[in-house]
Amino acid sequence: METIYLGIVIFLFVLAIFDLIVGVSNDAVNFLQSAVGAKAASFKTVLFIAAVGVFIGAALSNGMMDIARHGIYQPQHFYFAEIMCILLAVMLTDVVLLDVFNTMGLPTSTTVSMVFELLGGTFALALIKVYGDNTLGLGDLINTDKALSVIMAIFMSVAIAFFFGMVVQWLARIVFTFNYKEHMKYSIALFGGIAATSIVYFMLFKGLKDSSFMTPENKHWLQENTLWLLGLIFASFTVLMQILHWFKVNIFRIIVLLGTFALALAFAGNDLVNFIGVPLAGYSAFTDYIANGTEVGPDGFLMVSLQGSASTPWYFLFGAGIIMVYALYTSKKAHNVIKTSVDLARQDEGEESFGSTPMARTLVRFSMNLSNSVSKIIPESSKQWIETRFRKDEAIIADGAAFDMVRASVNLVLASLLIALGTSLKLPLSTTYVTFMVAMATSLSDRAWGRDSAVFRITGVLSVVGGWFITAGAAFIICFFVALIISFGGTIAIVALIALAVFSLIRSQMMYKKRKAKEQGNETLKQLMKSNDNSEILELLRHHTREELSKIMAFT
């Protein structure tokens, strides 16, 4: 019997490796989107900075989230066999679900998926236990507070991030305009000081708050001296930014790369537990059972030990960091998810990835009517002055970039601030939700959503946001049934589900390759949409026509 459970623990760690890879593929958009979209540096340089942040964050993380041990279920009422059933169901569901979203190119929340998978698996086992034991109720077995707080955080983070993204980007554009190099003589030092201080604050209080070196004494000292520390950091960075500006250094590029490092570090330091927290909980449960529970058996040993927190051995953290860096460099799906966010936020027109929907058209009409109503109230002189600050034809955008450095800086700084604020208020904000909605809001303020493209962009945003809510429901329902099948089917069901998961991952990879091959066949059309040279457009049109006629003749 111990051999079977040892095999399950080993398989949990194998799934954790896949989960780390697909998780990084999904969450890479959080910290790469702004730097990649603005071409702040070469893609290899951005990847290197993010990789360093990911590895340091993983190595310094405590590697264990209590939610995987006792956040959703009450372990003192569950036997070892039941806990292993829940954890295996969670990992099987998580790997397949995240891979599906990555294949579609849609970013989703690993935190929400894990919470609702745990909730679904626990609910399935709780129903079985309540049916067989009248002394226990669902309230004794399930802790729903965490799940409810995550649901509330979804609504709050989406709305708050979008609102502040619009306001802050509008103010930043008023100050710097699109021709920002002509309007940053002294304001850039102040902006750079605020931005760098915000990012450092984010790194200290979000990215490293649960790190292994953050003892209670260090946390207490930070809390007691926060204002003094932030004031000193702000003054130092403001002076430094002004000096660097005098030496012709691009301050926006520094802010973007520093923000990329900070978000990557925070992602690894906090979200690592979404990928290895469940396997480590299973490993902890197995070692406790081997040491104390073999006499009563897996169906008679209660998992009281999971009520306490546990630290993770350093070699697990280093191993996870290496896998995450490898996934960041090699995952094509990560690049696909980044492309979705960058395309929806780009400044110029072009080929749209999403179609038009009635809801999107309704929202566009409502927004235009509201904008016209507000415009009537504003004095004509004020409107003319504001228009001089929003001349998009003066935009300084790097060759091949989707937007400029000003917007990339606002994206990173504001996302860092909102996540740090949510952490200080003990709100479980999702990094994915905040970074994506800030990026969409800043693109809206920058008037990147024109009359023609707005419907398609809104459809894309609604698709991504809808995917977030589908994640929660799908994670709960799938894990619920997987846990039931494992509970009633035993070893045969486990083997069958493992085979099904492997088949699903292989099939998903094959479908993804076919779709990418099809997209590569449309490169001529993409170049045609982007080109402004009439002679080049004519030549590309001829080439595209020949390609399409060849396909039609071959099909006929």
Side-chain angles (χ1 to χ4, degrees), residues 118-133:
L118 280 168
L119 188 61
T122 304
F123 186 62
L125 269 293
L127 287 178
I128 296 172
K129 286 183 71 69
V130 170
Y131 181 76
D133 186 356

Side-chain angles (χ1 to χ4, degrees), residues 164-234:
F164 281 102
M166 283 195 301
V167 173
V168 174
Q169 178 61 28
W170 189 84
L171 292 174
R173 197 58 75 188
I174 288 291
V175 173
F176 294 108
T177 74
F178 279 97
N179 188 14
Y180 60 86
K181 290 185 178 179
E182 300 295 326
H183 299 86
M184 60 178 193
K185 189 174 183 181
Y186 296 108
S187 57
I188 188 61
L190 184 63
F191 179 80
I194 294 171
T197 305
S198 302
I199 291 169
V200 171
Y201 175 71
F202 171 75
M203 290 169 63
L204 286 175
F205 292 93
K206 173 66 177 173
L208 300 175
K209 69 180 180 65
D210 290 324
S211 299
S212 53
F213 72 88
M214 289 293 277
T215 61
E217 292 77 16
N218 290 339
K219 288 183 181 180
H220 179 71
W221 185 87
L222 273 177
Q223 290 173 354
E224 290 290 320
N225 299 279
T226 298
L227 291 177
W228 177 84
L229 200 60
L230 289 179
L232 180 63
I233 293 170
F234 171 71

Side-chain angles (χ1 to χ4, degrees), residues 55 58-60 272 313-324:
F55 186 79
L60 295 179
L272 174 64
W314 65 270
Y315 43 84
F316 281 126
L317 301 179
F318 270 71
I322 291 169
I323 293 169
M324 293 168 85

Side-chain angles (χ1 to χ4, degrees), residues 279-293:
L280 287 172
Y283 174 73
S284 178
F286 178 74
T287 54
D288 182 43
Y289 168 71
I290 292 297
N292 306 304

